[in-house]
Amino acid sequence: MSFRKVVRQSKFRHVFGQPVKTDQCYDDIRVSRVTWDSTFCAVNPSFVAIIVEASGGGAFLVLPLHKTGRIDKSYPTVCGHTGPVLDIDWCPHNDYVIASGSEDCTVMVWQIPENGLSQPLTEPVVVLEGHSKRVGIVTWHPTARNVLLSAGCDNVVLIWNVGTAEELYRLDGLHPDLIYSVSWSRDGSRFCTACKDKSVRVIDPRRGTVVAEKERAHEGARPMRAIFLADGKIFTTGFSRMSERQLALWDTENLEEPMGLQELDSSNGALLPFYDPDTNVVYVCGKGDSSIRYFEITEEPPYIHFLNTFTSKEPQRGMGWMPKRGLDVNKCEIARFYKLHERKCEPIIMTVPRKSDLFQDDLYPDTAGPEAAMEAEEWVAGRTAGPVLVSLRQAYI
């Protein structure tokens, strides 16, 4: 009997997480206390943005990545919303543009100065008004320039052309209840949603139709999340009828039964999944947990393979996730998280140990770059395109 049958071969079996040293954290930040299950943090290769407590109105901090250490109380914020900010998302095609959704029912898009803020930013580049209740989700289209999706507590999904501030598609009547999460497919031709009615839906926004739907994806009443994987499968997190936390993998062609289903534990925090399409690793962070679990998704059963758990002492209030092009390939870094505590933000680095000093091309296939694959108008006209890939080799020193 060979060993291969016992131990599954995987280059990610030994991925380990390490928090950075204390002076590399962002300290003295009053992280928002809003009861809403978003990540509260958004990161790109230039900045980290964090939703903070604000007296009257809503605000978020935008810090250049190198501005670590104690953040002064008087540090300027982005503070144009009149109600608490619930979600923020960096534009994938411009590292200086960020969108925010708020309890004031608006979506705002902001242009951040090249060196960060030197005074409070109150004037957005564009205000998108169309929701009748608070806006809990904002997420940019992965491949078309200036296309932004927002979802509100009015159970409506709106898709905007930010360049012209016009509403491209209004999808109401598709969700009978609160929308918990929205995730674009890799080419942005569809998106999937998780809803309070326990259904996961796959939606074609340009047709305005539900392409596929799985009722009772997770039986429990607590919040679910659903994300699209690169090959078109869907990964969900939720709760069982006995309130145990679950992960599941679904084939959109056949949603009858999950391809894989795993029960984790019986904590009650919502599980936030983060997915890396280059390595097919899903990282699962529970709100209020002090751990990050990670799993490899493969083609062979049981499809979801547990890799390891990163554990720390402090619970996490939220979590940011660095896009691949912001990682340090010299250190074989395959993911970097920005963990929010009550009063600070702590980067956590996930590394694959390697002896060689060469560029590890098996860890870094070409990844989505900052270039948009098409304009908003082309996407509306029916064009579909995957992300424009770049090699990370030139980042290797």
Side-chain angles (χ1 to χ4, degrees):
M1 176 178 155
S2 76
F3 271 115
R4 282 214 53 171
K5 299 267 192 317
V6 187
V7 178
R8 193 178 66 86
Q9 290 288 311
S10 166
K11 56 191 169 211
F12 303 114
R13 275 190 50 212
H14 301 293
V15 169
F16 70 100
Q18 222 174 2
V20 299
K21 295 190 175 67
T22 319
D23 59 349
Q24 295 295 301
C25 294
Y26 307 85
D27 273 316
D28 236 10
I29 293 168
R30 295 172 33 218
V31 177
S32 170
R33 296 180 173 278
V34 172
T35 47
W36 183 252
D37 282 325
S38 76
T39 57
F40 286 8
C41 181
V43 192
N44 70 20
S46 306
F47 299 104
V48 52
I50 300 164
I51 305 176
V52 291
E53 284 281 281
S55 48
F60 57 96
L61 269 177
V62 174
L63 303 169
L65 285 188
H66 58 77
K67 187 161 173 48
T68 52
R70 194 174 158 273
I71 306 301
D72 201 276
K73 292 265 185 303
S74 61
Y75 195 86
T77 59
V78 179
C79 51
H81 282 288
T82 56
V85 177
L86 300 178
D87 197 19
I88 47 178
D89 194 32
W90 286 105
C91 175
H93 309 123
N94 183 337
D95 285 347
Y96 301 100
V97 171
I98 188 168
S100 57
S102 160
E103 277 191 21
D104 65 13
C105 306
T106 67
V107 174
M108 293 184 177
V109 178
W110 309 86
Q111 173 89 32
I112 305 298
E114 205 158 308
N115 303 319
L117 300 181
S118 51
Q119 59 207 56
L121 187 56
T122 54
E123 290 300 314
V125 186
V126 61
V127 182
L128 305 170
E129 301 184 55
H131 288 285
S132 58
K133 289 193 177 159
R134 58 190 187 150
V135 182
I137 297 170
V138 287
T139 173
W140 292 90
H141 191 285
T143 61
R145 194 188 315 278
N146 285 341
V147 175
L148 178 69
L149 179 152
S150 62
C153 297
D154 48 9
N155 311 338
V156 175
V157 174
L158 295 177
I159 296 175
W160 306 89
N161 179 341
V162 173
T164 58
E166 67 181 312
E167 200 179 282
L168 296 174
Y169 302 102
R170 184 179 193 88
L171 305 166
D172 52 5
L174 301 184
H175 298 89
D177 212 331
L178 182 67
I179 301 163
Y180 285 139
S181 79
V182 177
S183 167
W184 287 101
S185 62
R186 188 157 164 86
D187 63 6
S189 59
R190 304 181 296 169
F191 62 84
C192 68
T193 62
C195 176
K196 196 174 179 177
D197 69 351
K198 300 182 186 172
S199 277
V200 170
R201 294 173 177 82
V202 179
I203 293 169
D204 180 335
R206 291 176 288 197
R207 286 213 184 102
T209 55
V210 175
V211 186
E213 178 175 352
K214 172 61 186 169
E215 295 176 5
R216 306 188 77 79
H218 294 274
E219 302 272 349
R222 302 187 66 95
M224 304 196 297
R225 303 226 144 205
I227 54 173
F228 253 120
L229 305 187
D231 59 3
K233 293 191 184 74
I234 289 176
F235 181 88
T236 59
T237 64
F239 292 80
S240 71
R241 203 183 280 125
M242 307 301 293
S243 285
E244 290 182 295
R245 297 201 288 191
Q246 294 178 320
L247 316 171
L249 185 67
W250 307 87
D251 180 353
T252 44
E253 302 302 313
N254 172 23
L255 287 169
E256 282 303 298
E257 288 294 315
M259 294 171 65
L261 179 71
Q262 289 193 15
E263 302 213 323
L264 287 187
D265 56 23
S266 48
S267 294
N268 59 5
L271 290 167
L272 308 175
F274 296 88
Y275 168 65
D276 176 9
D278 304 336
T279 56
N280 257 324
V281 175
V282 174
Y283 301 83
V284 178
C285 312
K287 251 193 161 178
D289 288 13
S290 50
S291 64
I292 301 172
R293 296 181 177 87
Y294 35 109
F295 301 83
E296 189 174 1
I297 311 291
T298 64
E299 295 296 323
E300 66 274 354
Y303 306 110
I304 307 173
H305 304 272
F306 173 72
L307 289 170
N308 213 333
T309 305
F310 164 80
T311 349
S312 56
K313 293 191 183 74
E314 301 281 325
Q316 55 229 16
R317 294 277 295 278
M319 196 66 87
W321 154 263
M322 175 66 80
K324 214 42 173 283
R325 56 196 176 84
L327 300 181
D328 185 348
V329 298
N330 300 295
K331 297 200 173 104
C332 294
E333 184 180 9
I334 61 163
R336 191 187 313 153
F337 289 94
Y338 285 73
K339 170 179 164 180
L340 301 187
H341 300 243
E342 298 253 319
R343 306 274 322 194
K344 73 169 179 182
C345 170
E346 173 187 45
I348 293 164
I349 290 167
M350 299 281 181
T351 318
V352 178
R354 288 284 163 98
K355 289 198 174 75
S356 159
D357 283 341
L358 302 171
F359 178 71
Q360 305 293 318
D361 48 12
D362 62 326
L363 297 182
Y364 301 109
D366 289 358
T367 190
E371 203 47 58
M374 58 188 152
E375 300 301 324
E377 293 72 19
E378 295 176 82
W379 183 70
V380 173
R383 192 172 156 213
T384 293
V388 179
L389 302 181
V390 295
S391 165
L392 294 176
R393 194 178 278 273
Q394 66 267 22
Y396 175 73
I397 301 161

